Amino acid sequence: MKKYLISLLATAILLASCSESLDDINRNPNATEYPNPAYLLTGVEKNGADLYWGNSANYGGLLLFVQHWAAIQYTDIDRYRISNTDGIVTTPWNTGYTTLVTNLNAILSLDGAIANANYKGVALTLRSWVFLLLADLYGDIPYSEAGKSVVPVFDTQQSVYAGLQADLNEALALLNLDAGTVAGDVVYNGDIAKWRKFATSLKFRIALRTADREPEKAGEIIASLAPADLIGSNDETFRFVYTSSPYNNPQHDHFVSRNDYRISKTIVDKLKALNDPRLPVYADLPKDESVTDYAGGANGLPNDAAANQGFDRISRPGAYFISPAAPAVIYSYAEVLFNLAEAVERGYIGGNAENYYRQAVKASFDQFGITGDEAIDAYLAQPSVQYDATNWKKSIGEQKWIAFFGQGADAYAEWRRLDFPQLTAGPAGALNGEIPVRIFYPGTEQSLNGKNRETAVKRQGEDNLTTKLWFDVY
Amino acid sequence: MTKLRVCVLLAIIFAVFPTSAQNGENVTGKVLDEKTGEPLAGASISIANERAGTITDADGGFSLKVTKFPATVLVDYLGYEHREIKLSRFTEPLVVLLPENLNLLNEVVVTALGVTREKKSLGYATQNIKGENINGNTSSNIVNALAGKAAGVRITNAQGDIGASRIVIRGETSIAGNNQPLFIVDGVPVDNSQLLPASGRDQSRDFRNAVADLNAEDIESLNVLKGPNAAALYGSRAAHGVILITTKKGSAQKGLGINVNAGWTFATVATLPEFQNEFGQGMGGEFSYVDGKGSGIDDGSDESWGPRLDGRLIPQFHSDGVAVPWVAHPNNVRDFFETGVTQDYGISIANAGDKYNFRLGTNFQDQTSTLPNTEIRKTNFTFNGDFQMSERIKAGANVNYIVTDAPNIPSGGSPTGSNYRASSIMLQFLWFGRQVDTKELWNGYKVNRNWNASYYDNPYWECYFNTTEQNRNRVIGDVHFSVNLLQGLDFRFRSGTDYYNDRRKYKIKTGSSGAGSPDGSYAEDAYTVSEDNTEALFNFKRDLSGDLSLDALAGYNVRNNSYANNWQKATKLAAPDLYTLSNSKDPLESDNVFKRLRVYSGFASAQIGFKSWVFLNLTGRNDWSSTLPSDNRSYFYPSATASAVLTDALPIKSHALSFLKIRGGWSEVGSDADPYQLITVYNIQQAFSGNPIQTSASTKNNPNIRPERTQSAELGLEAGFLNNRLSLDLALYNTNSIDQILNVQTSAASGYTYQLINAGKINNKGVEIQLNTTPVKTGDFKWDVGLNYAANRSKVVALDDEGMLTRYVIGSAGLQVVAAVGERYGALYGTAYRRNDNGEILTGDNGFPLINSTNQILGYFTPDWTGALTNTFTYKGFSLSVLIDASFGASLYSSSARTGMATGVYANTVFGRTAEFGGLTWTDGDGNVRDDGVIFQGVNVNTGQPNEAKMSAQDYYSYSNHPYERYVYDASFVKLRDISLSYTFGAKALQKFGLGGLTIAAVAHNLAILHRDKDLNMDPEVALNTGNVQGVEALTRPTTRSFGLNVRLKF
């Protein structure tokens, strides 16, 4: 008996002292502690494309604001009845910071032996794109302390844009053809030259955002960019191409199970008025065969009026956009050309603005598979399309709006900046005839980062949909 | 001895037998109920200061060897008074007449680690519930059987009748973690998880909490240890209290005994929202069905803003294009639900001899819910036995094997409020065409013909084809032995396990339009959960000298927990109706999670008694947990409690004040973290075109976490008046939970949406009152009243050390449930109306209400107080018991109301739709003159005058124009919870048929809601699941009312 007891006690004491094995027990078998830059990069590109092209931020909101799409059912967002917990408000914020910025920061903080300079350059470029997206939507945002503090301060939109120019300069310094290969890049397949072009083109985009506020600074930056360093063809477009299955284009997945969006009447009518050959690409014929022409849905209707347009009498977006493997275009060649036209008009660079404009429309046609010089020339010859140097904001604004079909975030930023096309809020809009010019901060920020949010709101103006952002002068 | 004992009729008759000095003498006797004279089987007989002991047989008889005279024979029986009989020598068989202990003041109760103690010696509140109050309850979930039975115990039956229930004792003491008590069955901790699927998967199925696996018929008694003071010895998991379950044993039997029970219960839908029957499906008064996807006029609309239900002729979903009368079917939702039937059959055999006892039993239960084609079958097998191996060594084993086999688990709401269109039945009744004829749904279900084909499948199709199976195989059991080492010193060893596999199969039939994939899908979700405990302890019991007694123990425990989950899904089926994982068009979605942890614990306790009226209890425990960093791994926590029986100590005892005890104490328990919370990790997802995807976890972990600590102080008083005809148990407590490990939601801009911090502090204070009285007791008639009341106030004191965090988000369903610093736990936090200083709602010039851009606290899910009243009437063999319980001060956010109003299906959406229903004439933005104008009652923010601008009725009811405030209701209720009527046949009548006992009982459950918020269109007592996100309702299944019949037969 005594022997037994002694051995039992000994076992007990032995067990208690086994703290080594307790560490082993607590080693997580489900995930790795070690980030891999290639895997992180694929994740950011995929999740970034989903955010830019997907439901909450794009067709569930921004495409409705810019009247590319319209809601035929559940019209709340289309009527700007938006709460600070809706997906359009929370998704860009949460996905932008956690899914995108955090993983890019992880690449940036990796040892050089694991992630070479080119990984860092790519990461910094992508991170600049994400911050730009957020600043364009919300205005002042956490930037300098993002990912570094539990309660990061909000930087002014102005300082964010300036910071991004500096970040992109750093990215360009890092991106070097002989600085090592980049794996996991499903957009440019590790082509560093293309990444340099995308980074330079982003500088261009950001500089124009600030052009109404800081014309000289913007001019300086744009003048420093060599045209050869910009995206120079549709092959160099920054776009994410989905696969057929299971990683489908999110718009395709939506139409598999839902029936609540149609193409907007605003853009259909515009394309019709311009005899635009992109109409059959952008829209499908209505399901009801008795309707023989393309028809758009009106934006901003009450639920009953929206539904009463007839679900099958209104066109859905074209197969090009809702096919499983449709690309998510993020920065097109056409945009570079439109930007060049604008830069000429603003006197930042030399050259012929009209030429750039015509090339831009051509590039857009090409992007959507419309070829043949005759079609393009006939289109451009129309008075309604012809470049009007005296009202270049209208010419560039309208054509950019058409060319950006589906790119909600950038179509929205350019519409606010150029003020063309002139859009009218739907009859049941909740903002007294106005269209939102920003989105709310997520409601959770009130509880999670309340003081800093309050400071930003005091500086920027009330946290509502009609408060103009810093870059949006006119 | 005390007067109390003197006044008891006790007959002790002595007889002289020849004795053998060497072997001692056999003391024999019988224990009988003082009043009825019926034998008491299973009473414990022991000799003071000797290890010998036995238990009475079926006839109440016992035989016990006594080595030394004079000796004191101790007689204990649960629910009866304690007896001590001094024998100078044994002369003739003893006849011990035990009086029932009306007030249970002297009862013997099971305390932590299975140690039985006299209740008067305890320095904390504990409450015993006898098995007979649980056996034969109509609920298939033993947690439900506790509703209203103990002060401070809050039960929330999640949804309807068949699924999960939540139990919380003395309020929520953990801000983020589990708040449900630890369940222990015969010394073996058993798991009570609900195992909800990970987010992003179908979380709408109402899986039962795991403790519902237990068979109520096996339970002898159930002891509620309310909080750390009572349960400190259990360590980490005791902060939320412990439910100690003791199962029936063969020792209650002498010779062979057979028990048979059978029960049948019928449940019907109790509370449904009130629906309108004036307008059918459609928009703007128009509707015509072609394909339910928008080809007809508004037939893609899933709301009821369509034509007046006036019998006009309109093509409908079942009429193949033919215009048929457009009429109301007022009961179309109710008609869909069925009567749920529970059948329960069990048999047990028990036997006991001098050296052994055992009990063998099996029970089969089959329950169908009120939703068509849903069913859960449960089979329990149980064995327990103890064997006296030698004079000093006793050994035994318990085994429970439980098979749960459910062809289809009903679906309800989901914790995030996400919709699962392929299965959520209430979703389609809240977005509904009010004209729909349920018969036609039934007629068309095999071809999925439905009133709307864009977003919903035919509800019968959903129930019959889109099913979720569950199969759980579980073993709970232990082996144990005890050795008597020296007089008063025992060694006990126990090794036990709770192990189960739980496999679920989710089927979505090809052709389901609501599922998101018309291809259909198939998923398997498999869990393996286990907990092993091995425990060794020494127990030393002795009367030290004169008036002092000591009962001490010291022990050691090793606990291992493990959890494995394997999820695989074929997202698109290749061949229809073939549910295999390989039948997939796309690569399988898959995920694995493995978790394990180990805790070593050393513990000791001592009870020192003085003259058996003052007791001091001390405990201490040290844990070493694998989940904490090595520097913080070891943590110690003590407790000290004391009690004094003043009526024994002071000369104050009288007829009026027959018993008075005060008690009090302080305790601390420590608690570890979940596994793998130290290092931040990266997850790998399915590759994109051959490129693996890695993303950072959304939670930033913390390598420096420390153990959580819960400190609790408690004071109590137990009193008996008028010869114990009236008794009172009062408890006051104050619990501080500090260093809480919180996965706090942080601004995404911090880089993570969650970060693990270690600083939360929450305080709970409360009072519990339990009052029992027997107002009438004459001859055969007795009326007992039990009243309990509990009020708990929680306060979130801090979330982080720096004071930067002000709100912890417990969960979100649009509206957030938060723990806000300075506030009561469980605040409902969301948008509210903007109001002026008079509290009137402000509107804009357009007549729409203005919404405050800052979220407000709109209520709390934690009630101000809860209470219950039980009246029991017994007359001869009859017993009638009526339980009414109440809860006041909690709030409920009804997402169903938010939807049901916006879609125009609720009855309260008729007003204003047309002139006929009070609609005002107005002109809309397009210049149309309409007759559906409604004025929102408020004050124009610009003019300060009452609002006069009109809006359409549909806008008036739409949630987009209103804050969450509109849908937060008072969740107070008074319910007629249970009525049971039973008849027990007299022994004489039964003997003719060779029966030992026969009881027939009729039970009704959830009979009526006597009080509730009239605006709330449902049962206020609903929940989505058993987690901490309470006070939120979304698509929950209707609650049920049930009637049952039980027959219990004893041979």
Side-chain angles (χ1 to χ4, degrees):
Chain A
M1 184 60 65
K2 264 184 192 157
K3 262 188 202 166
Y4 179 76
L5 280 177
I6 288 163
S7 71
L8 194 92
L9 279 173
T11 315
I13 290 158
L14 198 72
L15 286 172
S17 57
C18 280
S19 65
E20 280 297 316
S21 71
L22 290 184
D23 284 330
D24 290 339
I25 286 168
N26 205 35
R27 186 150 295 135
N28 191 338
N30 305 303
T32 169
E33 298 168 18
Y34 308 106
N36 175 310
Y39 300 174
L40 289 171
L41 179 58
T42 311
V44 167
E45 288 179 349
K46 158 78 170 58
N47 290 317
D50 283 352
L51 171 65
Y52 188 78
W53 208 250
N55 180 353
S56 303
N58 195 38
Y59 57 82
L62 303 178
L63 285 186
L64 306 177
F65 292 178
V66 296
Q67 301 183 4
H68 281 174
W69 286 24
I72 197 160
Q73 207 171 6
Y74 319 117
T75 60
D76 294 324
I77 304 286
D78 207 1
R79 296 164 69 188
Y80 321 132
R81 302 194 180 287
I82 297 170
S83 93
N84 60 19
T85 54
D86 283 335
I88 181 183
V89 175
T90 57
T91 305
W93 188 273
N94 290 338
T95 306
Y97 280 112
T98 58
T99 315
L100 304 179
V101 171
T102 300
N103 288 298
L104 292 166
N105 281 342
I107 297 177
L108 290 170
S109 62
L110 280 174
D111 189 272
I114 298 165
N116 60 44
N118 277 334
Y119 274 116
K120 309 254 166 113
V122 165
L124 211 47
T125 306
L126 281 171
R127 199 183 74 177
S128 306
W129 170 69
V130 177
F131 277 127
L132 173 65
L133 205 63
L134 297 176
D136 286 349
L137 289 176
Y138 300 97
D140 295 1
I141 54 163
Y143 163 71
S144 57
E145 290 185 4
K148 292 173 189 157
S149 161
V150 181
V151 281
V153 295
F154 285 56
D155 298 280
T156 63
Q157 198 180 14
Q158 180 181 18
S159 63
V160 173
Y161 287 149
L164 296 181
Q165 291 290 1
D167 287 349
L168 286 165
N169 288 341
E170 197 188 328
L172 284 165
L174 288 163
L175 287 166
N176 218 306
L177 292 179
D178 50 16
T181 55
V182 167
D185 170 20
V186 290
V187 173
Y188 282 149
N189 199 21
D191 187 336
I192 298 302
K194 283 184 182 165
W195 275 104
R196 288 189 61 86
K197 289 188 171 185
F198 175 51
T200 314
S201 303
L202 266 183
K203 283 179 63 74
F204 199 178
R205 187 190 269 181
I206 296 165
L208 279 183
R209 289 277 199 279
T210 64
D212 283 341
R213 277 281 176 208
E214 302 176 319
E216 275 135 53
K217 230 176 172 179
E220 249 169 62
I221 293 167
I222 290 167
S224 75
L225 309 175
D229 291 341
L230 300 168
I231 289 169
S233 73
N234 275 325
D235 291 341
E236 292 173 359
T237 289
F238 191 85
R239 58 178 208 165
F240 183 91
V241 183
Y242 288 92
T243 60
S244 52
S245 209
Y247 283 131
N248 294 335
N249 183 302
Q251 301 190 354
H252 164 81
D253 283 353
H254 188 83
F255 277 99
V256 167
S257 61
R258 298 195 61 94
N259 195 21
D260 38 3
Y261 295 112
R262 295 292 183 270
I263 189 167
S264 165
K265 185 174 189 307
T266 312
I267 196 159
V268 169
D269 290 355
K270 186 74 180 177
L271 293 170
K272 277 186 185 168
L274 301 180
N275 301 308
D276 198 309
R278 286 170 290 192
L279 177 57
V281 180
Y282 289 6
D284 274 348
L285 280 171
K287 210 170 141 193
D288 186 337
E289 285 167 9
S290 69
V291 185
T292 54
D293 196 8
Y294 298 95
N299 287 95
L301 295 182
N303 279 315
D304 50 359
N308 287 346
Q309 295 175 102
F311 284 77
D312 286 357
R313 303 176 65 82
I314 304 292
S315 297
R316 293 175 178 218
Y320 179 95
F321 291 90
I322 60 176
S323 72
V329 173
I330 289 168
Y331 204 132
S332 67
Y333 175 45
E335 179 180 348
V336 170
L337 295 165
F338 281 123
N339 288 353
L340 286 167
E342 183 177 342
V344 172
E345 289 295 356
R346 287 187 184 265
Y348 297 155
I349 56 170
N352 183 329
E354 181 174 359
N355 242 346
Y356 282 131
Y357 169 84
R358 294 173 66 93
Q359 283 178 46
V361 174
K362 207 175 146 184
S364 174
F365 275 35
D366 192 38
Q367 182 184 334
F368 295 108
I370 296 154
T371 47
D373 289 344
E374 276 167 44
I376 295 158
D377 292 342
Y379 179 72
L380 286 167
Q382 301 179 96
S384 53
V385 181
Q386 261 177 9
Y387 186 69
D388 179 2
T390 61
N391 197 357
W392 57 267
K393 279 191 173 179
K394 179 172 189 291
S395 289
I396 293 175
E398 288 187 353
Q399 279 301 326
K400 222 172 185 174
W401 175 69
I402 295 170
F404 279 22
F405 184 73
Q407 285 180 258
D410 283 294
Y412 185 47
E414 296 293 19
W415 167 75
R416 282 176 289 167
R417 198 174 61 79
L418 295 169
D419 301 300
F420 283 100
Q422 287 168 325
L423 303 175
T424 321
L431 302 176
N432 293 320
E434 287 185 64
I435 295 175
V437 290
R438 72 178 279 272
I439 56 178
F440 297 118
Y441 293 121
T444 47
E445 287 299 296
Q446 290 182 28
S447 39
L448 304 177
N449 194 7
K451 281 177 197 157
N452 287 315
R453 173 192 167 275
E454 227 163 89
T455 311
V457 169
K458 272 193 193 126
R459 193 166 58 208
Q460 177 169 279
E462 258 197 86
D463 188 13
N464 58 33
L465 299 171
T466 50
T467 298
K468 273 193 168 195
L469 297 183
W470 170 81
F471 78 93
D472 184 8
V473 182
Y474 303 108
Chain B
M1 299 307 295
T2 62
K3 273 187 192 170
L4 189 74
R5 282 166 188 172
V6 173
C7 73
V8 164
L9 290 172
L10 170 69
I12 304 170
I13 304 157
F14 297 93
V16 184
F17 282 91
T19 60
S20 155
Q22 268 184 327
N23 297 326
E25 268 183 88
N26 265 336
V27 173
T28 59
K30 260 189 170 188
V31 180
L32 306 174
D33 183 298
E34 177 213 44
K35 204 181 80 193
T36 65
E38 284 185 12
L40 295 175
S44 116
I45 313 291
S46 57
I47 307 296
N49 293 325
E50 287 202 38
R51 60 174 182 272
T54 187
I55 276 167
T56 56
D57 59 30
D59 303 322
F62 66 87
S63 163
L64 187 64
K65 198 167 280 180
V66 176
T67 50
K68 208 171 75 189
F69 285 97
T72 307
V73 180
L74 310 174
V75 183
D76 287 296
Y77 190 69
L78 205 65
Y80 287 78
E81 298 213 352
H82 172 77
R83 270 279 129 317
E84 293 185 7
I85 302 144
K86 290 226 161 93
L87 292 180
S88 53
R89 56 184 316 189
F90 182 62
T91 49
E92 66 179 70
L94 305 173
V95 176
V96 186
L97 296 177
L98 285 188
E100 199 177 347
N101 187 336
L102 292 176
N103 308 285
L104 306 178
L105 295 177
N106 283 351
E107 74 183 287
V108 175
V109 293
V110 182
T111 66
L113 299 175
V115 176
T116 49
R117 292 248 159 97
E118 276 184 280
K119 193 176 177 187
K120 70 175 181 189
S121 73
L122 302 179
Y124 46 78
T126 173
Q127 199 155 355
N128 186 271
I129 297 161
K130 286 192 216 167
E132 64 206 50
N133 292 323
I134 297 160
N135 304 155
N137 192 285
T138 60
S139 176
S140 57
N141 191 337
I142 62 155
V143 170
N144 292 339
L146 297 175
K149 301 233 163 59
V153 177
R154 225 165 73 219
I155 312 286
T156 315
N157 181 206
Q159 312 188 22
D161 49 346
I162 201 169
S165 288
R166 178 178 194 253
I167 171 169
V168 171
I169 302 173
R170 286 189 174 171
E172 283 80 0
T173 49
S174 174
I175 293 173
N178 171 47
N179 272 306
Q180 298 198 80
L182 174 66
F183 283 81
I184 294 181
V185 178
D186 292 335
V188 178
V190 297
D191 182 70
N192 188 28
S193 309
Q194 200 183 358
L195 296 183
L196 283 177
S199 65
R201 299 177 195 154
D202 182 354
Q203 295 181 308
S204 73
R205 300 285 173 167
D206 184 16
F207 293 104
R208 274 184 192 162
N209 51 304
V211 142
D213 285 347
L214 300 180
N215 174 19
E217 294 298 327
D218 288 339
I219 294 175
E220 173 68 38
S221 76
L222 201 146
N223 228 18
V224 183
L225 307 182
K226 298 175 181 174
N229 295 47
L233 267 186
Y234 283 113
S236 314
R237 298 177 294 174
H240 324 295
V242 175
I243 308 273
L244 280 180
I245 295 172
T246 310
T247 62
K248 291 175 182 163
K249 302 286 186 317
S251 53
Q253 192 77 36
K254 182 79 178 182
L256 191 66
I258 300 174
N259 280 279
V260 176
N261 63 279
W264 303 268
T265 307
F266 304 90
T268 54
V269 164
T271 321
L272 272 178
E274 235 182 287
F275 295 111
Q276 59 90 6
N277 292 294
E278 307 293 345
F279 297 88
Q281 186 181 355
M283 276 291 166
E286 295 179 30
F287 183 79
S288 178
Y289 190 94
V290 174
D291 65 354
K293 293 179 182 177
S295 293
I297 300 167
D298 289 332
D299 68 342
S301 293
D302 48 355
E303 304 176 38
S304 282
W305 300 98
R308 183 96 167 80
L309 288 162
D310 52 7
R312 68 181 80 180
L313 300 177
I314 296 179
Q316 297 178 37
F317 78 98
H318 59 272
S319 68
D320 295 319
V322 179
V324 291
W326 183 253
V327 291
H329 291 93
N331 286 323
N332 50 7
V333 177
R334 189 171 287 272
D335 289 347
F336 181 76
F337 291 94
E338 301 176 345
T339 299
V341 181
T342 307
Q343 306 174 65
D344 195 293
Y345 308 102
I347 181 164
S348 68
I349 302 171
N351 203 348
D354 290 339
K355 295 198 162 172
Y356 71 93
N357 68 71
F358 73 87
R359 180 174 180 271
L360 258 173
T362 181
N363 198 86
F364 173 75
Q365 187 184 68
D366 178 293
Q367 184 178 16
T368 63
S369 117
T370 50
L371 268 191
N373 193 41
T374 50
E375 184 179 12
I376 301 179
R377 295 187 287 254
K378 182 174 88 174
T379 312
N380 291 61
F381 302 95
T382 180
F383 166 80
N384 62 57
D386 277 297
F387 306 89
Q388 192 81 42
M389 320 270 289
S390 76
E391 211 173 316
R392 288 169 178 269
I393 301 175
K394 242 169 102 173
N398 293 312
V399 189
N400 265 283
Y401 179 60
I402 305 147
V403 182
T404 305
D405 188 15
N408 188 20
I409 298 281
S411 82
S414 74
T416 52
S418 303
N419 299 333
Y420 292 94
R421 298 193 167 276
S423 56
S424 279
I425 297 298
M426 285 311 286
L427 178 71
Q428 82 172 287
F429 290 145
L430 290 169
W431 296 87
F432 201 35
R434 287 298 307 145
Q435 82 288 355
V436 171
D437 183 352
T438 302
K439 267 204 311 287
E440 297 297 346
L441 288 173
W442 172 254
N443 291 337
Y445 91 88
K446 284 181 181 159
V447 293
N448 202 4
R449 191 172 69 200
N450 203 21
W451 59 278
N452 175 290
S454 292
Y455 303 117
Y456 310 91
D457 298 305
N458 181 301
Y460 287 105
W461 167 289
E462 292 183 358
C463 286
Y464 281 89
F465 298 134
N466 295 343
T467 58
T468 296
E469 292 175 34
Q470 183 185 24
N471 179 275
R472 176 149 69 194
N473 289 278
R474 184 172 191 174
V475 176
I476 301 169
D478 77 329
V479 292
H480 53 263
F481 68 85
S482 62
V483 183
N484 180 239
L485 299 167
L486 301 163
Q487 188 184 329
L489 180 64
D490 287 299
F491 172 74
R492 276 166 36 196
F493 176 88
R494 180 194 303 278
S495 187
T497 190
D498 174 14
Y499 176 95
Y500 63 85
N501 283 310
D502 190 339
R503 299 184 71 88
R504 294 141 185 208
K505 296 174 179 175
Y506 293 82
K507 297 177 181 172
I508 303 289
K509 189 177 167 69
T510 304
S512 294
S513 48
S517 163
D519 297 303
S521 66
Y522 176 61
E524 289 192 8
D525 198 14
Y527 299 84
T528 304
V529 177
S530 77
E531 173 168 330
D532 304 328
N533 280 279
T534 300
E535 181 179 283
L537 64 82
F538 293 92
N539 190 357
F540 182 71
K541 227 184 238 187
R542 190 127 220 213
D543 277 348
L544 288 179
S545 66
D547 297 328
L548 282 182
S549 65
L550 174 70
D551 186 345
L553 63 82
Y556 193 81
N557 187 85
V558 180
R559 168 160 73 95
N560 281 297
N561 284 75
S562 77
Y563 165 97
N565 174 229
N566 182 338
W567 158 270
Q568 284 184 295
K569 184 176 184 184
T571 50
K572 291 175 186 168
L573 296 180
D577 299 334
L578 175 64
Y579 297 103
T580 67
L581 287 169
S582 49
N583 179 31
S584 180
K585 286 183 183 172
D586 281 352
L588 293 183
E589 242 177 43
S590 65
D591 189 37
N592 300 79
V593 178
F594 299 100
K595 285 182 192 170
R596 61 189 185 120
L597 66 86
R598 179 177 298 167
V599 181
Y600 302 121
S601 312
F603 52 85
S605 84
Q607 181 182 81
I608 299 155
F610 176 69
K611 283 189 167 177
S612 82
W613 47 258
V614 178
F615 299 89
L616 175 67
N617 294 281
L618 300 169
T619 72
R621 178 167 170 134
N622 200 96
D623 285 353
W624 293 263
S625 168
S626 68
T627 64
L628 295 169
S630 47
D631 291 347
N632 303 335
R633 169 165 296 153
S634 162
Y635 49 103
F636 175 79
Y637 39 93
S639 88
T641 58
S643 73
V645 183
L646 298 181
T647 36
D648 288 354
L650 308 170
I652 54 171
K653 192 161 170 173
S654 65
H655 175 77
L657 180 66
S658 32
F659 182 85
L660 182 65
K661 167 190 154 184
I662 55 166
R663 55 168 202 256
W666 181 90
S667 71
E668 178 179 278
V669 291
S671 179
D672 54 359
D674 287 337
Y676 320 136
Q677 291 193 305
L678 306 182
I679 299 167
T680 308
V681 291
Y682 295 85
N683 299 306
I684 301 224
Q685 295 160 352
Q686 198 172 43
F688 177 84
S689 296
N691 294 280
I693 288 180
Q694 190 179 40
T695 49
S696 169
S698 55
T699 296
K700 188 179 185 184
N701 281 336
N702 185 341
N704 302 314
I705 41 179
R706 290 161 285 130
E708 296 184 350
R709 286 173 190 275
T710 302
Q711 294 159 349
S712 177
E714 181 174 336
L715 270 178
L717 180 142
E718 290 161 43
F721 306 96
L722 304 172
N723 240 351
N724 292 334
R725 282 284 282 276
L726 173 68
S727 70
L728 169 76
D729 187 329
L730 178 76
L732 296 168
Y733 59 87
N734 185 7
T735 304
N736 279 305
S737 304
I738 59 174
D739 279 352
Q740 293 249 301
I741 297 168
L742 296 179
N743 200 6
V744 293
Q745 193 181 359
T746 48
S747 166
S750 72
Y752 296 89
T753 39
Y754 293 93
Q755 303 206 5
L756 204 69
I757 60 167
N758 204 183
K761 184 175 176 191
I762 183 170
N763 173 268
N764 274 273
K765 293 189 201 10
V767 56
E768 286 160 5
I769 301 168
Q770 180 93 30
L771 201 66
N772 291 304
T773 175
T774 308
V776 181
K777 190 181 174 189
T778 57
D780 292 328
F781 181 74
K782 199 169 127 208
W783 174 25
D784 294 303
V785 182
L787 181 71
N788 68 55
Y789 169 92
N792 182 76
R793 280 292 175 287
S794 58
K795 187 177 176 183
V796 179
V797 180
L799 292 171
D800 62 335
D801 289 333
E802 296 80 18
M804 288 193 297
L805 298 171
T806 51
R807 278 172 213 99
Y808 171 76
V809 180
I810 302 164
S812 178
L815 169 140
Q816 294 178 328
V817 181
V818 302
V821 172
E823 297 285 343
R824 206 198 292 189
Y825 185 77
L828 307 180
Y829 186 69
T831 48
Y833 290 112
R834 257 176 77 183
R835 293 171 187 269
N836 62 17
D837 294 341
N838 301 329
E840 294 161 314
I841 297 171
L842 296 170
T843 69
D845 288 336
N846 59 7
F848 285 77
L850 299 177
I851 294 170
N852 200 329
S853 63
T854 310
N855 291 342
Q856 309 284 316
I857 289 177
L858 306 170
Y860 303 89
F861 77 67
T862 40
D864 292 339
W865 62 269
T866 56
L869 174 68
T870 309
N871 279 286
T872 308
F873 307 91
T874 39
Y875 177 71
K876 293 187 172 169
F878 285 100
S879 173
L880 172 70
S881 179
V882 181
L883 168 62
I884 292 171
D885 71 343
S887 167
F888 276 81
S891 294
L892 177 74
Y893 160 60
S894 173
S895 168
S896 292
R898 186 170 182 262
T899 303
M901 286 168 76
T903 58
V905 302
Y906 267 30
N908 59 12
T909 63
V910 168
F911 171 76
R913 288 200 192 197
T914 61
E916 183 190 353
F917 294 102
L920 305 169
T921 307
W922 69 300
T923 309
D924 69 14
D926 282 347
N928 304 312
V929 178
R930 311 161 57 135
D931 69 346
D932 63 345
V934 179
I935 294 175
F936 184 87
Q937 244 187 26
V939 173
N940 185 301
V941 68
N942 298 318
T943 65
Q945 296 303 308
N947 172 45
E948 286 173 354
K950 295 165 190 127
M951 64 172 106
S952 75
Q954 200 182 339
D955 270 339
Y956 181 77
Y957 297 113
S958 164
Y959 49 70
S960 348
N961 303 317
H962 299 276
Y964 285 107
E965 179 187 347
R966 192 190 211 191
Y967 313 103
V968 173
Y969 299 88
D970 181 1
S972 301
F973 64 81
V974 178
K975 282 188 175 183
L976 179 51
R977 178 78 60 187
D978 285 321
I979 295 184
S980 72
L981 175 66
S982 70
Y983 184 75
T984 305
F985 288 86
K988 280 177 195 161
L990 294 172
Q991 268 166 5
K992 273 187 273 182
F993 304 97
L995 292 174
L998 173 61
T999 304
I1000 296 176
V1003 188
H1005 193 63
N1006 268 347
L1007 266 183
I1009 302 175
L1010 305 174
H1011 163 85
R1012 66 165 167 162
D1013 184 345
K1014 287 282 174 273
D1015 294 333
L1016 176 62
N1017 231 334
M1018 58 173 57
D1019 190 333
E1021 196 190 16
V1022 288
L1024 291 167
N1025 56 27
T1026 63
N1028 288 337
V1029 181
Q1030 299 289 313
V1032 171
E1033 173 282 326
L1035 309 176
T1036 26
R1037 283 184 289 122
T1039 52
T1040 58
R1041 172 182 300 138
S1042 62
F1043 300 91
L1045 186 72
N1046 288 286
V1047 180
R1048 321 166 59 71
L1049 209 62
K1050 198 173 163 186
F1051 298 99

